[in-house]
């Protein structure tokens, strides 16, 4: 017993001319639209991923340059402090554990 709304196994013979034309026109229009939409989506996804990676790379390089600059400034400060006689003498007093008697200033 066959249902009335399902065409029998006779291929397209179960459809009327109108139904065949409708099915054919839908296939002609929907298949290219599906392919074009899929390709557009894949291209947009790839482009967005590249832009995001480029932006993140730029941010990482900027932060790395900033950190290197800070370290360079701190290194210069350490060199300046180590060459300062007052700081060097104070460090010797602290590390020696005693006080060094300074000469009184001439009056």
């Amino acid at each position: 017993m066959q249902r009335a709304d399902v065409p029998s196994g006779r291929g397209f013979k179960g459809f009327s001319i109108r139904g065949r034309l409708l099915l054919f026109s839908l296939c002609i229009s929907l298949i290219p639209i599906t392919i074009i939409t899929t390709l557009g989506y894949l291209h947009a996804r790839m482009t967005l991923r590249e832009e995001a990676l480029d932006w993140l790379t730029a941010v990482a390089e900027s932060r790395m340059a900033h950190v290197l600059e800070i370290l360079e400034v701190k290194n210069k400060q350490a060199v300046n402090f180590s060459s300062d006689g007052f700081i060097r003498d104070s460090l010797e007093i602290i590390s020696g554990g005693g006080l060094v008697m300074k000469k009184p200033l001439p009056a």
Side-chain angles (χ1 to χ4, degrees):
M1 191 186 219
Q2 290 183 347
R3 292 181 7 192
D5 59 345
V6 177
S8 63
R10 297 178 280 163
F12 287 110
K13 291 182 183 178
F15 291 104
S16 66
I17 297 286
R18 184 176 180 185
R20 288 181 197 169
L21 287 175
L22 180 64
L23 182 64
F24 182 70
S25 64
L26 283 175
C27 288
I28 286 179
S29 62
L30 290 179
I31 291 173
I33 288 173
T34 304
I35 292 171
I36 290 170
T37 303
T38 303
L39 291 176
Y41 168 75
L42 293 174
H43 178 70
R45 185 177 73 172
M46 183 181 64
T47 302
L48 286 173
R49 179 177 288 157
E50 287 176 1
E51 287 180 8
L53 287 176
D54 289 345
W55 183 78
L56 289 172
T57 302
V59 168
E61 289 174 354
S62 172
R63 289 190 178 185
M64 183 177 68
H66 185 68
V67 167
L68 290 176
E69 184 177 338
I70 289 172
L71 289 175
E72 185 177 330
V73 167
K74 295 298 180 184
N75 188 22
K76 286 180 182 179
Q77 286 178 346
V79 168
N80 287 339
F81 285 143
S82 67
S83 65
D84 188 4
F86 174 74
I87 294 176
R88 191 175 43 235
D89 293 341
S90 298
L91 181 62
E92 287 176 9
I93 292 169
I94 293 171
S95 63
L99 294 175
V100 175
M101 298 295 289
K102 290 191 175 186
K103 296 178 185 176
L105 293 174

